[in-house]
């Protein structure tokens, strides 16, 4: 099993959109705040940020010239904050491996590649976003520690719009 990692190119949009919409659908099952119909503009914006910005990264995992997963990350530059020291923080926002390729260590390898890319940008720390519905112990196995939790409470005014 040979896995290659590479940055995105303009030709990768359809693959990215397909996998990202699959990821969004899985999140929707556990969160009523996610829209029933997700506008194509979301995927276009995410993709072109990664393609054109020095602070966003979209890395693909390929096997036999087929894209089987991706990571999407960004760098937050904190300067002149009243609370935080000046620093750059890497944030892995999305990591996705196609279902049929999971449990083969590909996610771990993609995470390591993404971390390396962020470290090369001199970030002081790396954060990994994980939905609470994701019950895997993946972050702990990769030596991530829980930093904080966000809790949600539904109210009567919490109406879902499409």
């Amino acid at each position: 099993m040979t896995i290659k990692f590479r940055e995105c190119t303009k030709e990768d949009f359809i693959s990215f959109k397909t996998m990202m919409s699959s990821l969004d659908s899985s999140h929707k099952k556990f969160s009523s705040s996610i829209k029933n119909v997700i506008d194509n503009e979301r995927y276009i914006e995410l993709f072109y940020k990664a393609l054109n910005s020095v602070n966003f990264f979209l890395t693909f995992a390929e096997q036999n010239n087929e894209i089987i997963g991706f990571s999407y990350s960004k760098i937050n530059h904190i300067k002149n904050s009243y609370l935080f020291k000046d620093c750059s923080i890497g944030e892995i926002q999305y990591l996705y491996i196609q279902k049929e390729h999971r449990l083969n260590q590909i996610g771990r390898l993609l995470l390591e590649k993404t971390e390396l890319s962020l470290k090369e940008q001199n970030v002081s720390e790396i954060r990994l976003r994980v939905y609470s519905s994701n019950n895997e112990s993946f972050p702990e196995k990769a030596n991530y520690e829980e930093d904080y939790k966000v809790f949600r409470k539904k109210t009567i005014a919490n109406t879902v719009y499409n």
Side-chain angles (χ1 to χ4, degrees), residues 38-115:
I38 299 172
D39 191 22
N40 198 42
E41 291 299 314
R42 167 178 163 68
Y43 308 115
I44 293 170
E45 182 179 329
L46 287 170
F47 186 78
Y48 283 99
K49 276 183 181 177
L51 199 59
N52 298 316
S53 172
V54 296
N55 293 318
F56 289 84
F57 305 90
L58 176 55
T59 304
F60 288 107
E62 286 184 330
Q63 185 177 38
N64 300 325
N65 295 319
E66 173 194 357
I67 295 174
I68 59 171
F70 74 90
S71 69
Y72 190 90
S73 57
K74 73 175 190 173
I75 298 176
N76 296 308
H77 299 285
I78 299 172
K79 294 187 191 266
N80 303 317
S81 167
Y82 290 110
L83 183 59
F84 298 105
K85 297 176 183 177
D86 289 358
C87 64
S88 295
I89 297 173
E91 182 179 352
I92 302 170
Q93 296 183 321
Y94 303 103
L95 193 136
Y96 177 82
I97 302 296
Q98 291 176 343
K99 199 172 235 175
E100 60 271 19
H101 296 282
R102 294 179 190 163
L103 302 176
N104 293 321
Q105 301 296 312
I106 298 168
R108 180 185 59 80
L109 294 171
L110 179 56
L111 178 65
E112 289 173 359
K113 170 63 177 157
T114 304
E115 289 173 337

Side-chain angles (χ1 to χ4, degrees), residues 20 22-32 34 42 93-94 131 133:
M20 192 68 206
S22 176
L23 185 60
D24 284 342
S25 292
S26 69
H27 292 157
K28 187 177 149 219
K29 293 176 192 174
F30 301 100
S31 177
S32 62
I34 295 177
R42 167 178 163 68
Q93 296 183 321
Y94 303 103
Y131 273 85
S133 60

Side-chain angles (χ1 to χ4, degrees), residues 13-25:
F13 177 72
I14 298 299
S15 295
F16 171 71
K17 181 185 175 224
T18 301
M19 288 187 286
M20 192 68 206
S21 61
S22 176
L23 185 60
D24 284 342
S25 292

